[in-house]
Amino acid sequence: MKHVLIVEDERSIALRLQQSLRAEGFGATIVSDGERARDCALSGAYDLLVLDIGLPTMDGFTVLSQLREASSRMPIIVLTARSGVADTVAGLEGGADDYVGKPFRMQELLARIRLRFRDGENAHLLRCGELALDLRTRQLHVDGRIVDLTTREFALAEIFMRNPGTVLTREQLIAAAWSDDVQPASNVIDVYVRYLRRKTGAQWISTVRGKGYRLDDSTSRLPTDSRG
Ligand code: CA
């Protein structure tokens, strides 16, 4: 059973959320101050944190930053004031996975919690547009098609998928796919990018002349890009 840690000092909100989560089959524990929230979150007993910002002893932002500093990768949904755009931005930049403005509709918050859990089940998939790289099977899903990759193709696909929209130099790509003691010829990357393009379709990887290659996410894909 998934267990949600509710960090909220407004008792009525916390109880309502706890009741709703339990009705959905989740475990739900309430904590009402920041320091206890941090300690409970680090205990490893919970699968997701719903975190209010205004809290006694330590505010939600501090809890968030201390958890991320402690390398906690627990999904965190921040509750912010509806008008608090600055809070929302700060929360997301501080490492929150999502936010819900207060006052919130219970159904919306529950939907987001379910979504986080579903994403967690797909944590072995790196996604970029219609591409998904399965880190367990080392296969690439392209528009629903499943493509097998060689070891080096997989290593290159992984660094591209972890850095969509970013130009990667040949040196960076070599470092990702070849061990330090091997000095591959400089054009080896061009050869392997060609292999990858053959498998994914040419439109995904752009040549950035004189710099390297870039995996295009949907926002950076432009019709004028050169495709070497
Ligand atoms: Ca509060």
Side-chain angles (χ1 to χ4, degrees):
M1 181 174 65
K2 298 283 191 191
H3 208 125
V4 177
L5 181 63
I6 303 166
V7 183
E8 169 61 83
D9 59 326
E10 282 172 68
R11 193 81 189 144
S12 61
I13 295 178
L15 285 172
R16 205 159 56 87
L17 178 56
Q18 184 180 48
Q19 207 172 32
S20 304
L21 284 166
R22 286 181 173 166
E24 297 253 330
F26 297 117
T29 298
I30 299 172
V31 167
S32 57
D33 76 85
E35 284 185 9
R36 266 203 71 212
R38 176 202 55 205
D39 296 344
C40 287
L42 288 174
S43 73
Y46 303 95
D47 302 294
L48 184 142
L49 182 61
V50 175
L51 179 63
D52 186 32
I53 292 299
L55 292 170
T57 71
M58 184 192 279
D59 73 15
F61 290 132
T62 310
V63 174
L64 185 60
S65 73
Q66 291 197 358
L67 289 179
R68 293 316 188 209
E69 270 165 34
S71 299
S72 167
R73 301 184 63 181
M74 184 180 201
I76 299 176
I77 299 179
V78 163
L79 302 177
T80 62
R82 184 65 82 179
S83 56
V85 177
D87 279 5
T88 303
V89 172
L92 292 173
E93 286 181 347
D97 298 277
D98 202 354
Y99 67 92
V100 173
K102 274 176 152 183
F104 58 87
R105 288 188 310 121
M106 192 55 72
Q107 283 311 317
E108 183 187 351
L109 179 54
L110 291 175
R112 285 169 187 259
I113 290 170
R114 282 193 297 264
L115 193 68
R116 278 299 134 201
F117 283 140
R118 217 178 55 206
D119 282 358
E121 285 159 16
N122 290 328
H124 61 288
L125 287 178
L126 293 179
R127 290 180 188 282
C128 177
E130 289 91 56
L131 297 180
L133 185 66
D134 191 321
L135 300 174
R136 290 188 311 202
T137 65
R138 309 200 141 214
Q139 289 169 317
L140 189 65
H141 300 237
V142 186
D143 266 333
R145 205 159 45 86
I146 295 180
V147 177
D148 288 315
L149 300 174
T150 65
T151 304
R152 293 219 205 281
E153 287 168 352
F154 172 80
L156 290 177
E158 183 177 1
I159 186 175
F160 275 125
M161 297 286 281
R162 289 193 189 279
N163 300 280
T166 305
V167 179
L168 298 172
T169 64
R170 287 178 174 74
E171 293 71 32
Q172 286 174 307
L173 294 169
I174 285 174
W178 277 264
S179 59
D180 289 344
D181 52 339
V182 181
Q183 287 282 320
S186 65
N187 71 342
V188 74
I189 288 298
D190 309 284
V191 173
Y192 273 90
V193 165
R194 204 149 60 225
Y195 293 159
L196 267 185
R197 280 181 175 146
R198 218 173 279 162
K199 292 187 171 180
T200 61
Q203 72 275 23
W204 288 98
I205 304 174
S206 292
T207 305
V208 182
R209 213 159 287 143
K211 296 207 175 83
Y213 293 101
R214 182 182 64 218
L215 179 69
D216 290 338
D217 56 20
S218 51
T219 52
S220 67
R221 212 178 328 152
L222 300 169
T224 50
D225 278 355
S226 73
R227 318 268 170 204

